Amino acid sequence: MALQKLPLEKAFMLVEPGPVLLVTTNDGRKNNIMTITWHMVMDFTPQIALTTGPWNHSFQALRDTKECVLAVPTVDLAEKAVAIGDCSGADVDKFRGFGLTPLPGLGGKAPLISECLACLECRVLDYVEPYGIFILRSTQAWMDLERRERRTFHANGDGTFRADGETLCLRSLMEDKLPPGV
């Protein structure tokens, strides 16, 4: 048998979600950005779940304003994204400190990030307190169609990351099962 026992506390690394996201909020006074890897798509609308808690400066803004933007950085922004996650918005203006450009969205005060490949404006539908899970519904989607770098990156959970690679097109095997417009 080639399988070897893995410590249970490392098992999450096998199913770590992707890609790394930058979550923007505005608490009514200032913009903030946090880096997050704990999220998942729940359906095609899209509804998205993400996990965070009061240890993150953005947590209270998410609870109070019930809005955020999920910005998708690419590999050229990987070092900035990690550094953003290693400091607090209570101490740092992350847009200015990391040379990122906030853009207004259509649905609220949380800003888009100009340098990212894509941004999803979201409303908080629910907060599942015992688990620290926010359920979000995207209200607007934006993508930089001229951006050359499109590879996203994913956390392995141990301080290492992997970049997207080759795309496999298996659409012909699924065409009758895909939702309309996909």
Short mmCIF file of all heavy atoms in Angstrom, two decimals, residues 75-142:
data_model
loop_
_atom_site.label_atom_id
_atom_site.label_comp_id
_atom_site.label_asym_id
_atom_site.label_seq_id
_atom_site.Cartn_x
_atom_site.Cartn_y
_atom_site.Cartn_z
N VAL A 75 -0.85 36.07 -9.95
CA VAL A 75 0.45 35.73 -9.37
C VAL A 75 1.40 36.93 -9.26
O VAL A 75 2.23 36.96 -8.36
CB VAL A 75 1.14 34.56 -10.12
CG1 VAL A 75 0.36 33.29 -9.96
CG2 VAL A 75 1.37 34.89 -11.57
N ASP A 76 1.25 37.92 -10.12
CA ASP A 76 2.11 39.10 -10.02
C ASP A 76 1.81 39.93 -8.77
O ASP A 76 2.61 40.78 -8.39
CB ASP A 76 2.03 39.96 -11.29
CG ASP A 76 0.63 40.39 -11.63
OD1 ASP A 76 -0.33 39.63 -11.38
OD2 ASP A 76 0.47 41.51 -12.16
N LEU A 77 0.70 39.68 -8.12
CA LEU A 77 0.33 40.37 -6.88
C LEU A 77 0.46 39.47 -5.65
O LEU A 77 0.05 39.86 -4.56
CB LEU A 77 -1.10 40.90 -6.98
CG LEU A 77 -1.35 41.98 -8.02
CD1 LEU A 77 -2.85 42.29 -8.13
CD2 LEU A 77 -0.56 43.24 -7.70
N ALA A 78 1.03 38.29 -5.81
CA ALA A 78 1.07 37.31 -4.72
C ALA A 78 1.80 37.85 -3.48
O ALA A 78 1.30 37.72 -2.36
CB ALA A 78 1.72 36.01 -5.19
N GLU A 79 2.96 38.45 -3.66
CA GLU A 79 3.71 38.95 -2.51
C GLU A 79 2.93 40.06 -1.80
O GLU A 79 2.90 40.12 -0.56
CB GLU A 79 5.10 39.41 -2.92
CG GLU A 79 6.00 38.24 -3.28
CD GLU A 79 7.42 38.66 -3.63
OE1 GLU A 79 7.81 39.82 -3.34
OE2 GLU A 79 8.13 37.83 -4.20
N LYS A 80 2.30 40.95 -2.56
CA LYS A 80 1.48 42.01 -1.94
C LYS A 80 0.31 41.40 -1.18
O LYS A 80 -0.02 41.85 -0.08
CB LYS A 80 0.94 42.98 -2.99
CG LYS A 80 1.92 44.01 -3.45
CD LYS A 80 1.26 45.03 -4.36
CE LYS A 80 2.31 46.00 -4.87
NZ LYS A 80 1.73 47.10 -5.63
N ALA A 81 -0.34 40.41 -1.77
CA ALA A 81 -1.51 39.79 -1.12
C ALA A 81 -1.12 39.16 0.21
O ALA A 81 -1.84 39.30 1.21
CB ALA A 81 -2.15 38.76 -2.04
N VAL A 82 0.01 38.49 0.25
CA VAL A 82 0.47 37.88 1.50
C VAL A 82 0.83 38.97 2.51
O VAL A 82 0.44 38.89 3.68
CB VAL A 82 1.67 36.93 1.25
CG1 VAL A 82 2.29 36.47 2.56
CG2 VAL A 82 1.21 35.72 0.44
N ALA A 83 1.51 40.01 2.07
CA ALA A 83 1.88 41.11 2.97
C ALA A 83 0.63 41.83 3.50
O ALA A 83 0.59 42.22 4.68
CB ALA A 83 2.81 42.09 2.26
N ILE A 84 -0.39 41.99 2.68
CA ILE A 84 -1.65 42.60 3.13
C ILE A 84 -2.25 41.78 4.26
O ILE A 84 -2.77 42.32 5.23
CB ILE A 84 -2.63 42.74 1.94
CG1 ILE A 84 -2.18 43.87 1.03
CG2 ILE A 84 -4.07 42.94 2.42
CD1 ILE A 84 -2.88 43.91 -0.31
N GLY A 85 -2.15 40.46 4.15
CA GLY A 85 -2.68 39.59 5.18
C GLY A 85 -1.86 39.57 6.46
O GLY A 85 -2.34 39.10 7.49
N ASP A 86 -0.65 40.08 6.39
CA ASP A 86 0.24 40.07 7.56
C ASP A 86 0.24 41.37 8.35
O ASP A 86 1.07 41.56 9.23
CB ASP A 86 1.68 39.75 7.12
CG ASP A 86 1.86 38.28 6.82
OD1 ASP A 86 1.04 37.47 7.27
OD2 ASP A 86 2.84 37.95 6.13
N CYS A 87 -0.67 42.30 8.02
CA CYS A 87 -0.77 43.54 8.80
C CYS A 87 -2.24 43.88 9.00
O CYS A 87 -3.11 43.31 8.34
CB CYS A 87 -0.02 44.69 8.12
SG CYS A 87 -0.66 45.18 6.51
N SER A 88 -2.52 44.78 9.91
CA SER A 88 -3.90 45.13 10.24
C SER A 88 -4.30 46.47 9.66
O SER A 88 -3.53 47.44 9.71
CB SER A 88 -4.07 45.19 11.77
OG SER A 88 -5.37 45.67 12.09
N GLY A 89 -5.51 46.53 9.14
CA GLY A 89 -6.07 47.78 8.65
C GLY A 89 -6.28 48.79 9.76
O GLY A 89 -6.50 49.97 9.49
N ALA A 90 -6.23 48.36 11.00
CA ALA A 90 -6.31 49.29 12.13
C ALA A 90 -5.05 50.16 12.18
O ALA A 90 -5.09 51.28 12.69
CB ALA A 90 -6.49 48.52 13.44
N ASP A 91 -3.94 49.64 11.65
CA ASP A 91 -2.65 50.33 11.72
C ASP A 91 -2.16 50.86 10.38
O ASP A 91 -1.30 51.74 10.35
CB ASP A 91 -1.58 49.36 12.25
CG ASP A 91 -1.98 48.72 13.56
OD1 ASP A 91 -2.54 49.42 14.42
OD2 ASP A 91 -1.73 47.50 13.72
N VAL A 92 -2.66 50.31 9.28
CA VAL A 92 -2.11 50.60 7.96
C VAL A 92 -3.23 50.93 6.98
O VAL A 92 -4.26 50.26 6.96
CB VAL A 92 -1.34 49.35 7.42
CG1 VAL A 92 -0.83 49.58 6.00
CG2 VAL A 92 -0.21 48.96 8.34
N ASP A 93 -3.03 51.99 6.18
CA ASP A 93 -3.90 52.23 5.03
C ASP A 93 -3.39 51.31 3.94
O ASP A 93 -2.36 51.58 3.30
CB ASP A 93 -3.83 53.69 4.59
CG ASP A 93 -4.64 53.98 3.33
OD1 ASP A 93 -4.94 53.04 2.55
OD2 ASP A 93 -4.97 55.16 3.11
N LYS A 94 -4.05 50.19 3.75
CA LYS A 94 -3.50 49.15 2.86
C LYS A 94 -3.52 49.56 1.40
O LYS A 94 -2.64 49.14 0.64
CB LYS A 94 -4.24 47.83 3.09
CG LYS A 94 -3.97 47.27 4.49
CD LYS A 94 -4.58 45.91 4.65
CE LYS A 94 -4.41 45.38 6.06
NZ LYS A 94 -4.94 44.02 6.19
N PHE A 95 -4.47 50.36 0.97
CA PHE A 95 -4.45 50.81 -0.42
C PHE A 95 -3.20 51.66 -0.67
O PHE A 95 -2.46 51.40 -1.61
CB PHE A 95 -5.72 51.59 -0.77
CG PHE A 95 -6.87 50.70 -1.16
CD1 PHE A 95 -7.81 50.31 -0.21
CD2 PHE A 95 -7.01 50.24 -2.45
CE1 PHE A 95 -8.86 49.49 -0.55
CE2 PHE A 95 -8.06 49.42 -2.82
CZ PHE A 95 -8.99 49.04 -1.86
N ARG A 96 -2.97 52.63 0.17
CA ARG A 96 -1.80 53.50 0.00
C ARG A 96 -0.51 52.73 0.26
O ARG A 96 0.44 52.81 -0.51
CB ARG A 96 -1.88 54.69 0.94
CG ARG A 96 -0.77 55.70 0.67
CD ARG A 96 -0.87 56.97 1.48
NE ARG A 96 -2.24 57.42 1.60
CZ ARG A 96 -2.75 58.03 2.66
NH1 ARG A 96 -1.99 58.28 3.71
NH2 ARG A 96 -4.01 58.40 2.70
N GLY A 97 -0.48 51.95 1.34
CA GLY A 97 0.74 51.24 1.73
C GLY A 97 1.21 50.21 0.72
O GLY A 97 2.40 49.93 0.62
N PHE A 98 0.27 49.63 -0.03
CA PHE A 98 0.64 48.59 -0.99
C PHE A 98 0.47 49.05 -2.44
O PHE A 98 0.56 48.24 -3.37
CB PHE A 98 -0.14 47.32 -0.72
CG PHE A 98 0.25 46.68 0.58
CD1 PHE A 98 -0.50 46.88 1.73
CD2 PHE A 98 1.41 45.92 0.67
CE1 PHE A 98 -0.11 46.32 2.94
CE2 PHE A 98 1.80 45.36 1.87
CZ PHE A 98 1.05 45.56 3.01
N GLY A 99 0.23 50.35 -2.65
CA GLY A 99 0.17 50.89 -4.00
C GLY A 99 -0.98 50.34 -4.82
O GLY A 99 -0.82 50.12 -6.02
N LEU A 100 -2.13 50.15 -4.20
CA LEU A 100 -3.30 49.64 -4.91
C LEU A 100 -4.31 50.77 -5.11
O LEU A 100 -4.39 51.69 -4.30
CB LEU A 100 -3.93 48.48 -4.15
CG LEU A 100 -3.03 47.26 -4.00
CD1 LEU A 100 -3.68 46.22 -3.09
CD2 LEU A 100 -2.71 46.65 -5.36
N THR A 101 -5.09 50.66 -6.18
CA THR A 101 -6.01 51.72 -6.56
C THR A 101 -7.45 51.31 -6.29
O THR A 101 -7.96 50.38 -6.92
CB THR A 101 -5.86 52.03 -8.06
OG1 THR A 101 -4.47 52.21 -8.36
CG2 THR A 101 -6.67 53.24 -8.47
N PRO A 102 -8.14 52.03 -5.36
CA PRO A 102 -9.55 51.74 -5.13
C PRO A 102 -10.40 52.36 -6.24
O PRO A 102 -10.15 53.48 -6.67
CB PRO A 102 -9.84 52.40 -3.78
CG PRO A 102 -8.85 53.52 -3.68
CD PRO A 102 -7.64 53.07 -4.46
N LEU A 103 -11.38 51.60 -6.70
CA LEU A 103 -12.33 52.10 -7.69
C LEU A 103 -13.74 51.96 -7.13
O LEU A 103 -14.03 50.98 -6.44
CB LEU A 103 -12.24 51.29 -8.99
CG LEU A 103 -10.94 51.33 -9.77
CD1 LEU A 103 -11.00 50.36 -10.95
CD2 LEU A 103 -10.65 52.74 -10.25
N PRO A 104 -14.62 52.89 -7.45
CA PRO A 104 -15.99 52.75 -6.95
C PRO A 104 -16.73 51.64 -7.69
O PRO A 104 -16.54 51.44 -8.89
CB PRO A 104 -16.62 54.11 -7.27
CG PRO A 104 -15.81 54.66 -8.40
CD PRO A 104 -14.42 54.10 -8.23
N GLY A 105 -17.53 50.91 -6.94
CA GLY A 105 -18.40 49.91 -7.55
C GLY A 105 -19.77 50.51 -7.75
O GLY A 105 -19.97 51.71 -7.57
N LEU A 106 -20.72 49.68 -8.11
CA LEU A 106 -22.09 50.14 -8.30
C LEU A 106 -22.99 49.86 -7.11
O LEU A 106 -24.01 50.50 -6.94
CB LEU A 106 -22.70 49.46 -9.54
CG LEU A 106 -22.07 49.81 -10.88
CD1 LEU A 106 -22.75 49.01 -11.99
CD2 LEU A 106 -22.17 51.29 -11.16
N GLY A 107 -22.59 48.87 -6.29
CA GLY A 107 -23.52 48.39 -5.28
C GLY A 107 -23.30 48.85 -3.87
O GLY A 107 -24.09 48.52 -3.00
N GLY A 108 -22.25 49.61 -3.57
CA GLY A 108 -22.01 50.00 -2.19
C GLY A 108 -20.74 50.79 -2.06
O GLY A 108 -20.18 51.27 -3.04
N LYS A 109 -20.24 50.88 -0.83
CA LYS A 109 -19.06 51.68 -0.56
C LYS A 109 -17.76 50.89 -0.61
O LYS A 109 -16.69 51.47 -0.68
CB LYS A 109 -19.20 52.35 0.80
CG LYS A 109 -20.29 53.40 0.81
CD LYS A 109 -20.35 54.12 2.13
CE LYS A 109 -21.43 55.18 2.08
NZ LYS A 109 -21.62 55.84 3.36
N ALA A 110 -17.82 49.56 -0.53
CA ALA A 110 -16.60 48.76 -0.61
C ALA A 110 -16.00 48.92 -2.00
O ALA A 110 -16.69 48.76 -3.01
CB ALA A 110 -16.90 47.29 -0.31
N PRO A 111 -14.69 49.23 -2.08
CA PRO A 111 -14.09 49.52 -3.38
C PRO A 111 -13.62 48.28 -4.14
O PRO A 111 -13.26 47.27 -3.54
CB PRO A 111 -12.88 50.39 -3.01
CG PRO A 111 -12.49 49.90 -1.66
CD PRO A 111 -13.79 49.53 -0.97
N LEU A 112 -13.63 48.40 -5.45
CA LEU A 112 -12.97 47.44 -6.32
C LEU A 112 -11.47 47.72 -6.23
O LEU A 112 -11.06 48.80 -5.82
CB LEU A 112 -13.43 47.61 -7.77
CG LEU A 112 -14.93 47.70 -8.05
CD1 LEU A 112 -15.17 48.00 -9.53
CD2 LEU A 112 -15.65 46.46 -7.63
N ILE A 113 -10.65 46.77 -6.65
CA ILE A 113 -9.20 46.99 -6.72
C ILE A 113 -8.79 46.95 -8.19
O ILE A 113 -8.89 45.91 -8.85
CB ILE A 113 -8.41 45.94 -5.91
CG1 ILE A 113 -8.82 45.99 -4.43
CG2 ILE A 113 -6.91 46.18 -6.07
CD1 ILE A 113 -8.15 44.92 -3.57
N SER A 114 -8.34 48.09 -8.70
CA SER A 114 -8.01 48.24 -10.12
C SER A 114 -6.99 47.22 -10.60
O SER A 114 -7.07 46.75 -11.74
CB SER A 114 -7.48 49.65 -10.36
OG SER A 114 -7.05 49.80 -11.69
N GLU A 115 -6.01 46.89 -9.79
CA GLU A 115 -4.91 46.02 -10.21
C GLU A 115 -5.29 44.54 -10.27
O GLU A 115 -4.50 43.72 -10.74
CB GLU A 115 -3.72 46.20 -9.26
CG GLU A 115 -3.04 47.56 -9.37
CD GLU A 115 -3.79 48.69 -8.66
OE1 GLU A 115 -4.76 48.43 -7.92
OE2 GLU A 115 -3.40 49.85 -8.86
N CYS A 116 -6.45 44.17 -9.78
CA CYS A 116 -6.85 42.76 -9.76
C CYS A 116 -7.49 42.33 -11.08
O CYS A 116 -8.02 43.15 -11.83
CB CYS A 116 -7.82 42.50 -8.60
SG CYS A 116 -6.95 42.47 -7.02
N LEU A 117 -7.45 41.05 -11.35
CA LEU A 117 -8.03 40.48 -12.56
C LEU A 117 -9.54 40.66 -12.58
O LEU A 117 -10.12 40.97 -13.61
CB LEU A 117 -7.68 38.99 -12.65
CG LEU A 117 -8.34 38.20 -13.78
CD1 LEU A 117 -7.90 38.74 -15.15
CD2 LEU A 117 -8.02 36.73 -13.65
N ALA A 118 -10.17 40.45 -11.44
CA ALA A 118 -11.63 40.51 -11.37
C ALA A 118 -12.05 40.96 -9.99
O ALA A 118 -11.29 40.85 -9.02
CB ALA A 118 -12.23 39.14 -11.69
N CYS A 119 -13.28 41.46 -9.90
CA CYS A 119 -13.86 41.88 -8.63
C CYS A 119 -15.33 41.50 -8.62
O CYS A 119 -16.02 41.65 -9.63
CB CYS A 119 -13.75 43.38 -8.43
SG CYS A 119 -12.06 44.01 -8.25
N LEU A 120 -15.79 41.01 -7.48
CA LEU A 120 -17.20 40.69 -7.28
C LEU A 120 -17.72 41.56 -6.15
O LEU A 120 -17.24 41.47 -5.02
CB LEU A 120 -17.39 39.22 -6.89
CG LEU A 120 -16.96 38.17 -7.88
CD1 LEU A 120 -17.05 36.79 -7.25
CD2 LEU A 120 -17.82 38.25 -9.12
N GLU A 121 -18.70 42.41 -6.45
CA GLU A 121 -19.36 43.16 -5.40
C GLU A 121 -20.35 42.21 -4.73
O GLU A 121 -21.09 41.51 -5.43
CB GLU A 121 -20.10 44.36 -5.97
CG GLU A 121 -19.17 45.42 -6.53
CD GLU A 121 -19.94 46.62 -7.04
OE1 GLU A 121 -20.54 47.33 -6.21
OE2 GLU A 121 -19.94 46.82 -8.27
N CYS A 122 -20.36 42.20 -3.41
CA CYS A 122 -21.18 41.22 -2.69
C CYS A 122 -21.97 41.87 -1.56
O CYS A 122 -21.51 42.83 -0.94
CB CYS A 122 -20.29 40.13 -2.09
SG CYS A 122 -19.41 39.14 -3.31
N ARG A 123 -23.12 41.27 -1.28
CA ARG A 123 -23.94 41.59 -0.11
C ARG A 123 -23.90 40.39 0.82
O ARG A 123 -23.91 39.24 0.37
CB ARG A 123 -25.39 41.85 -0.51
CG ARG A 123 -25.61 43.03 -1.42
CD ARG A 123 -25.42 44.38 -0.80
NE ARG A 123 -26.27 44.56 0.36
CZ ARG A 123 -26.07 45.46 1.30
NH1 ARG A 123 -25.04 46.27 1.22
NH2 ARG A 123 -26.86 45.57 2.33
N VAL A 124 -23.87 40.67 2.12
CA VAL A 124 -23.91 39.60 3.11
C VAL A 124 -25.36 39.16 3.26
O VAL A 124 -26.23 39.96 3.60
CB VAL A 124 -23.35 40.07 4.47
CG1 VAL A 124 -23.53 38.99 5.53
CG2 VAL A 124 -21.88 40.46 4.34
N LEU A 125 -25.62 37.89 3.00
CA LEU A 125 -26.96 37.32 3.17
C LEU A 125 -27.17 36.79 4.58
O LEU A 125 -28.27 36.84 5.12
CB LEU A 125 -27.20 36.18 2.18
CG LEU A 125 -27.20 36.54 0.70
CD1 LEU A 125 -27.43 35.28 -0.13
CD2 LEU A 125 -28.27 37.58 0.40
N ASP A 126 -26.09 36.25 5.15
CA ASP A 126 -26.22 35.62 6.46
C ASP A 126 -24.84 35.53 7.10
O ASP A 126 -23.82 35.57 6.40
CB ASP A 126 -26.82 34.22 6.31
CG ASP A 126 -27.39 33.66 7.60
OD1 ASP A 126 -27.42 34.38 8.63
OD2 ASP A 126 -27.80 32.49 7.59
N TYR A 127 -24.85 35.39 8.41
CA TYR A 127 -23.63 35.13 9.15
C TYR A 127 -23.91 33.96 10.08
O TYR A 127 -24.84 34.02 10.90
CB TYR A 127 -23.17 36.36 9.94
CG TYR A 127 -21.96 36.09 10.80
CD1 TYR A 127 -20.73 35.79 10.21
CD2 TYR A 127 -22.04 36.13 12.18
CE1 TYR A 127 -19.61 35.53 10.99
CE2 TYR A 127 -20.92 35.88 12.97
CZ TYR A 127 -19.72 35.58 12.37
OH TYR A 127 -18.62 35.32 13.14
N VAL A 128 -23.18 32.88 9.93
CA VAL A 128 -23.36 31.68 10.73
C VAL A 128 -22.35 31.76 11.88
O VAL A 128 -21.20 31.34 11.74
CB VAL A 128 -23.17 30.40 9.88
CG1 VAL A 128 -23.50 29.16 10.71
CG2 VAL A 128 -24.03 30.47 8.62
N GLU A 129 -22.80 32.34 12.99
CA GLU A 129 -21.90 32.72 14.08
C GLU A 129 -21.07 31.59 14.67
O GLU A 129 -19.86 31.77 14.86
CB GLU A 129 -22.68 33.42 15.19
CG GLU A 129 -21.76 34.05 16.19
CD GLU A 129 -22.38 35.21 16.92
OE1 GLU A 129 -23.51 35.60 16.60
OE2 GLU A 129 -21.72 35.71 17.83
N PRO A 130 -21.65 30.43 14.94
CA PRO A 130 -20.80 29.42 15.58
C PRO A 130 -19.57 29.03 14.75
O PRO A 130 -18.58 28.56 15.27
CB PRO A 130 -21.71 28.21 15.76
CG PRO A 130 -23.09 28.72 15.63
CD PRO A 130 -23.01 29.96 14.78
N TYR A 131 -19.64 29.25 13.43
CA TYR A 131 -18.56 28.84 12.54
C TYR A 131 -17.82 30.01 11.90
O TYR A 131 -16.87 29.80 11.16
CB TYR A 131 -19.10 27.92 11.44
CG TYR A 131 -19.80 26.72 12.03
CD1 TYR A 131 -21.18 26.66 12.08
CD2 TYR A 131 -19.08 25.67 12.57
CE1 TYR A 131 -21.83 25.56 12.65
CE2 TYR A 131 -19.71 24.58 13.14
CZ TYR A 131 -21.08 24.54 13.17
OH TYR A 131 -21.70 23.46 13.74
N GLY A 132 -18.26 31.24 12.14
CA GLY A 132 -17.62 32.41 11.55
C GLY A 132 -17.75 32.45 10.05
O GLY A 132 -16.86 32.93 9.36
N ILE A 133 -18.88 31.98 9.53
CA ILE A 133 -19.07 31.90 8.08
C ILE A 133 -20.02 33.01 7.61
O ILE A 133 -21.15 33.11 8.09
CB ILE A 133 -19.64 30.53 7.66
CG1 ILE A 133 -18.65 29.43 8.02
CG2 ILE A 133 -19.96 30.51 6.16
CD1 ILE A 133 -19.19 28.03 7.80
N PHE A 134 -19.55 33.82 6.68
CA PHE A 134 -20.40 34.80 6.00
C PHE A 134 -20.89 34.17 4.71
O PHE A 134 -20.10 33.60 3.95
CB PHE A 134 -19.60 36.06 5.65
CG PHE A 134 -19.33 36.95 6.83
CD1 PHE A 134 -18.18 36.81 7.57
CD2 PHE A 134 -20.24 37.94 7.18
CE1 PHE A 134 -17.92 37.63 8.65
CE2 PHE A 134 -20.00 38.77 8.27
CZ PHE A 134 -18.83 38.62 9.01
N ILE A 135 -22.19 34.27 4.46
CA ILE A 135 -22.77 33.84 3.19
C ILE A 135 -22.99 35.11 2.37
O ILE A 135 -23.70 36.03 2.79
CB ILE A 135 -24.11 33.10 3.39
CG1 ILE A 135 -23.98 31.97 4.41
CG2 ILE A 135 -24.65 32.61 2.04
CD1 ILE A 135 -23.02 30.87 4.04
N LEU A 136 -22.37 35.16 1.20
CA LEU A 136 -22.40 36.34 0.34
C LEU A 136 -23.14 36.04 -0.96
O LEU A 136 -23.07 34.92 -1.47
CB LEU A 136 -20.97 36.78 -0.02
CG LEU A 136 -19.98 36.96 1.13
CD1 LEU A 136 -18.59 37.21 0.56
CD2 LEU A 136 -20.42 38.09 2.03
N ARG A 137 -23.79 37.04 -1.50
CA ARG A 137 -24.37 36.95 -2.85
C ARG A 137 -23.72 38.03 -3.69
O ARG A 137 -23.73 39.20 -3.31
CB ARG A 137 -25.87 37.14 -2.81
CG ARG A 137 -26.52 37.53 -4.13
CD ARG A 137 -27.19 36.50 -5.01
NE ARG A 137 -27.52 35.22 -4.51
CZ ARG A 137 -28.75 34.80 -4.16
NH1 ARG A 137 -29.77 35.60 -4.23
NH2 ARG A 137 -28.93 33.56 -3.77
N SER A 138 -23.17 37.66 -4.81
CA SER A 138 -22.56 38.63 -5.70
C SER A 138 -23.65 39.44 -6.40
O SER A 138 -24.64 38.87 -6.87
CB SER A 138 -21.69 37.91 -6.73
OG SER A 138 -21.07 38.85 -7.57
N THR A 139 -23.46 40.76 -6.46
CA THR A 139 -24.43 41.65 -7.10
C THR A 139 -23.90 42.24 -8.40
O THR A 139 -24.69 42.67 -9.23
CB THR A 139 -24.84 42.78 -6.14
OG1 THR A 139 -23.67 43.52 -5.78
CG2 THR A 139 -25.51 42.23 -4.89
N GLN A 140 -22.59 42.31 -8.54
CA GLN A 140 -21.94 42.81 -9.75
C GLN A 140 -20.64 42.05 -9.93
O GLN A 140 -19.97 41.73 -8.95
CB GLN A 140 -21.60 44.30 -9.64
CG GLN A 140 -22.75 45.23 -9.46
CD GLN A 140 -23.57 45.40 -10.73
OE1 GLN A 140 -23.05 45.30 -11.84
NE2 GLN A 140 -24.84 45.66 -10.57
N ALA A 141 -20.28 41.81 -11.17
CA ALA A 141 -19.00 41.16 -11.46
C ALA A 141 -18.24 42.02 -12.46
O ALA A 141 -18.84 42.54 -13.42
CB ALA A 141 -19.21 39.76 -12.01
N TRP A 142 -16.95 42.15 -12.24
CA TRP A 142 -16.08 42.96 -13.08
C TRP A 142 -14.84 42.14 -13.44
O TRP A 142 -14.35 41.39 -12.62
CB TRP A 142 -15.62 44.21 -12.33
CG TRP A 142 -16.72 45.04 -11.79
CD1 TRP A 142 -17.31 44.91 -10.55
CD2 TRP A 142 -17.39 46.12 -12.42
NE1 TRP A 142 -18.29 45.84 -10.40
CE2 TRP A 142 -18.37 46.60 -11.53
CE3 TRP A 142 -17.26 46.73 -13.67
CZ2 TRP A 142 -19.19 47.67 -11.84
CZ3 TRP A 142 -18.09 47.79 -13.97
CH2 TRP A 142 -19.04 48.25 -13.06
#
